[in-house]
Amino acid sequence: RWMFYTPEMAEQMVQRREMENSLRDALKKQQFRLVYQPRYGHNSSRIIAVEALIRWDHPELGLLMPDQFISLAEETGLIIPLSDWVLKTACHDAQQSLHGLSVSVNISAVEFQSWGLIDRVRDALQVSQLDPARLEIEITENATLWNPESSLELMLALKKLGVKLLMDDFGTGYSSLSYLRNFPFDGIKLDKSFISDMPESDSANTIVKNIIGLGKAFSLSITAEGVETEGQLQKLMMMECDETQGYLIGKPLSLTALQEQMAALDSAAQERTGQQSQG
Ligand code: C2E
Ligand code: MG
Ligand code: MG
């Protein structure tokens, strides 16, 4: 058998192996941290939930973003201990420091293929004592594609624990109307690619408006992801989109910075109420 060989191929393999080892090492040495991005309610004055997003402070390479290591973690199976750490940390932080807020955690499609997920979520809830209703699991629509029947059973088992289920990056996968009807999602997160063309593009506006309507018809809460401009926010508010998330209203923050921002929002709200009652 003939195969083309280039020196870069060997180099890539070595690099991959090195990265895998340092991923393993990072878990032991706790080089990961979570940042939290707020999700705002309809009129965008109140934070109602936060999404936990993982970061890796690599000792040599510096800050690494999830798209630089999550797929390797998935391929090597390291996603399970990694995701366990995310679940436990997010539940702990929500219970200890984020009173009244829900926290959402991203779960990979590969994790969604195994029943171990149920025990892991139950464990994280038990250890942290977090009310299950405050934990949301984000999965992409493709996670349910590989094996729809067992995915449905898994989702029902998660719902039985009392957690909520959100469909992430809605519109980028292969789901159809029947998916929305047949799977027990509580909400959908509309992918940022739809929001980025708003409000200039009429077709983007129409699509988003119709998806919001669709969500309401299926009793699903709709979050618009990737809101970056005032024009997008105003349009989404006019369309009565339930929730918004994006750099314009809230970037991903460390737990401490998030707490400070929440305190500032609270005191601004109190000031407004004070002024109203004086007036
Ligand atoms: P996602 O779950 O769709 O998260 C949203 C991503 O969009 C985040 O990127 C966030 O920082 C970014 N984002 C938020 N607002 C804006 C905006 O206004 N404009 C733009 N351009 N981007 C915005 P991040 O943190 O790099 O995460 C990328 C993806 O990595 C996530 O997409 C999620 O699928 C995955 N991910 C993150 N943390 C975890 C984790 O703990 N476990 C797993 N399995 N996947 C994770
Ligand atoms: Mg997400
Ligand atoms: Mg998303």
Side-chain angles (χ1 to χ4, degrees):
R1 193 155 79 101
W2 289 91
M3 270 181 80
F4 284 103
Y5 172 81
T6 60
E8 290 82 43
M9 284 164 75
E11 215 167 274
Q12 269 170 14
M13 266 166 66
V14 172
Q15 263 178 11
R16 204 190 117 99
R17 182 53 60 86
E18 270 174 12
M19 198 67 174
E20 186 183 333
N21 286 339
S22 72
L23 198 59
R24 224 177 280 279
D25 213 34
L27 272 164
K28 279 192 225 131
K29 294 185 178 154
Q30 304 198 338
Q31 291 167 358
F32 296 104
R33 64 185 159 88
L34 291 182
V35 287
Y36 293 99
Q37 187 178 29
R39 235 165 64 214
Y40 288 80
H42 165 63
N43 62 9
S44 73
S45 63
R46 202 167 67 87
I47 300 175
I48 49 176
V50 292
E51 175 174 12
L53 297 161
I54 195 166
R55 300 289 180 264
W56 179 3
D57 290 313
H58 193 287
E60 282 111 42
L61 302 174
L63 171 67
L64 296 184
M65 301 300 275
D67 58 357
Q68 293 171 282
F69 61 90
I70 288 289
S71 52
L72 183 65
E74 287 171 348
E75 286 161 33
T76 52
L78 288 170
I79 191 70
I80 304 288
L82 192 67
S83 179
D84 263 353
W85 176 83
V86 174
L87 269 167
K88 290 209 164 104
T89 310
C91 288
H92 170 272
D93 287 354
Q95 171 67 0
Q96 297 299 321
S97 317
L98 300 170
H99 303 287
L101 295 192
S102 293
V103 67
S104 69
V105 168
N106 293 282
I107 293 292
S108 287
V110 284
E111 293 176 78
F112 214 68
Q113 307 310 308
S114 119
W115 278 89
L117 179 63
I118 310 295
D119 294 330
R120 292 162 47 215
V121 171
R122 190 190 289 116
D123 236 38
L125 288 168
Q126 230 157 37
V127 173
S128 64
Q129 292 290 302
L130 179 73
D131 174 5
R134 287 175 59 200
L135 177 63
E136 298 168 322
I137 303 284
E138 296 194 12
I139 46 170
T140 57
E141 42 199 324
N142 292 351
T144 54
L145 266 186
W146 290 342
N147 192 338
E149 282 99 51
S150 74
S151 296
L152 178 61
E153 278 180 48
L154 214 116
M155 287 174 82
L156 291 172
L158 282 170
K159 293 280 299 185
K160 229 174 168 175
L161 293 180
V163 304
K164 297 209 171 79
L165 300 173
L166 303 180
M167 191 192 279
D168 204 359
D169 305 341
F170 181 77
T172 57
Y174 301 100
S175 56
S176 62
L177 279 181
S178 71
Y179 269 66
L180 287 184
R181 206 180 49 207
N182 297 334
F183 288 98
F185 283 105
D186 297 283
I188 60 185
K189 299 186 76 178
L190 188 49
D191 191 65
K192 50 180 168 278
S193 54
F194 291 100
I195 311 302
S196 63
D197 292 339
M198 288 174 71
E200 291 79 15
S201 151
D202 286 340
S203 68
N205 293 337
T206 310
I207 291 169
V208 171
K209 188 165 177 257
N210 284 320
I211 295 177
I212 292 170
L214 201 68
K216 290 200 195 302
F218 284 109
S219 305
L220 296 164
S221 75
I222 310 281
T223 304
E225 290 191 288
V227 179
E228 290 182 349
T229 69
E230 198 58 49
Q232 290 165 353
L233 184 64
Q234 291 309 324
K235 196 86 190 171
L236 287 160
M237 276 162 71
M238 264 164 55
M239 292 173 176
E240 299 196 349
C241 185
D242 301 308
E243 295 168 21
T244 44
Q245 186 178 16
Y247 292 162
L248 176 76
I249 36 184
K251 292 209 166 101
L253 298 169
S254 70
L255 182 64
T256 324
L258 175 71
Q259 284 175 297
E260 281 166 12
Q261 196 183 60
M262 278 163 53
L265 277 175
D266 274 352
S267 67
Q270 267 165 14
E271 222 165 83
R272 271 200 305 275
T273 332
Q275 276 166 2
Q276 270 164 12
S277 58
Q278 271 173 18

